[in-house]
Amino acid sequence: MRAVVLGASGDMGRELVPALIGRGVDVVPAHRTTGVDAYTGTGLDAAFAGADVVVDSLSVTTQSAGRARDFFGVAARNVVAAADRAGIERIVCLSIINAAHPSVNAKFGYYQGKAVQESVYRELAGDRITMVWSAQWFELAQRLMSQMRLGPVAAVPHMMSQPCAAADAAQVLADAVTTPGGDIQVAGPETMDLCNLARRIAERDGAPRWVIGINYGGPTIRRGGLLPTGDVITTPTTAQAWLDAAT
Ligand SMILES: NC(=O)c1ccc[n+]([C@@H]2O[C@H](COP(=O)([O-])OP(=O)(O)OC[C@H]3O[C@@H](n4cnc5c(N)ncnc54)[C@H](OP(=O)(O)O)[C@@H]3O)[C@@H](O)[C@H]2O)c1
């Protein structure tokens, strides 16, 4: 099996590529440094030639709804068009549990982008799309601290989540790539506020000195709107085990 991984250099891509190689998959890593730009479409045809499946693990760093909607919508359209030209029958899209729900994303621009991405794939790829919805990753708590940081102070949104390790989510995603099936949800073993996880990371690392919880992104996000309902694959690594392993 040959799989194109779009976003191969990202947090997930770096975990997914070795997970797929470990399953005997011939992986084509794709991101802008490899000459593939999913937004402009450059390089997609060359990367997709001879592939059986495409994994969309692209992202854009923004909280602007306009920018997120534009990026994810345009990229998904380009991916489907290139997959059509290459005769690729399967696209696996990595998304976020409940991010496409209007009640969850009304005040969260990035999640509105994910909603557009999901609907473009549904509309244009139909049965060829497999959605893998993941909960937030432990690594996101770390990333949020660096995004809103002023000296010794970091601001982190209160987000109730069932977070998981990106490495665990990558194993589930790799299984979804190699073993075709329906859409799936993946989440970690415990429910927590990502802001509290950020505090535990800061305590372990000795910085930032203060992590301030902020209300950002609307009340649904802090009141359980991101939690999975229905069938979910639960990953093994606890937050504490991840904290201990990452020292
Ligand atoms: N973080 C979480 O907790 C979480 C949870 C669930 C699902 N997800 C989803 O998982 C996906 C991957 O997230 P991530 O955190 O791994 O992303 P990330 O670390 O920000 O990496 C983004 C990747 O996309 C590539 N990229 C960006 N623009 C591109 C373009 N125009 N053309 C080609 N490649 C481009 C980047 O490479 P270059 O910059 O080199 O091009 C990079 O490889 C996202 O869709 C996200 O919504 C994230």
Side-chain angles (χ1 to χ4, degrees):
M1 174 184 280
R2 178 179 289 182
V4 180
V5 176
L6 294 165
S9 60
D11 281 0
M12 174 51 61
R14 287 195 304 272
E15 301 285 350
L16 178 64
V17 169
L20 287 172
I21 291 171
R23 285 161 174 76
V25 176
D26 175 15
V27 175
V28 181
H31 52 98
R32 285 171 293 186
T33 312
T34 67
V36 177
D37 189 323
Y39 185 78
T40 63
T42 307
L44 286 175
D45 287 338
F48 285 14
D52 303 293
V53 55
V54 172
V55 187
D56 183 339
S57 185
L58 296 164
S59 193
V60 60
T61 305
T62 187
Q63 279 304 337
S64 152
R67 185 145 182 254
R69 293 169 68 94
D70 178 57
F71 174 82
F72 282 112
V74 170
R77 281 179 194 282
N78 287 339
V79 169
V80 176
D84 286 344
R85 290 193 294 272
I88 295 174
E89 288 298 324
R90 290 183 61 227
I91 301 169
V92 180
C93 174
L94 176 60
S95 198
I96 302 169
I97 291 173
N98 298 343
H101 292 201
S103 65
V104 170
N105 68 33
K107 297 193 171 167
F108 208 106
Y110 181 85
Y111 287 176
Q112 289 182 32
K114 297 297 290 181
V116 170
Q117 178 190 42
E118 289 188 27
S119 74
V120 168
Y121 276 129
R122 287 277 184 236
E123 182 192 333
L124 300 183
D127 289 348
R128 288 180 295 156
I129 187 82
T130 301
M131 298 300 312
V132 175
W133 291 289
S134 172
Q136 289 64 41
W137 308 326
F138 299 140
E139 288 81 354
L140 179 65
Q142 197 142 28
R143 187 183 276 204
L144 288 170
M145 273 195 291
S146 62
Q147 281 176 350
M148 286 186 269
R149 174 109 184 234
L150 199 62
V153 183
V156 175
H158 290 291
M159 299 169 84
M160 281 311 279
S161 175
Q162 215 176 297
C164 57
D168 284 353
Q171 295 299 327
V172 175
L173 181 56
D175 286 341
V177 173
T178 54
T179 312
D183 300 337
I184 50 173
Q185 297 188 99
V186 52
E190 306 156 306
T191 298
M192 65 188 70
D193 184 340
L194 274 198
C195 178
N196 290 338
L197 176 60
R199 289 192 176 112
R200 289 164 73 185
I201 297 170
E203 206 170 293
R204 180 198 64 185
D205 296 347
R209 195 180 304 170
W210 295 288
V211 175
I212 296 172
I214 56 169
N215 291 341
Y216 174 85
T220 319
I221 279 171
R222 40 186 188 276
R223 291 184 191 152
L226 294 171
L227 299 175
T229 50
D231 289 344
V232 61
I233 296 170
T234 305
T235 53
T237 308
T238 62
Q240 192 56 53
W242 177 83
L243 282 162
D244 293 345
T247 49

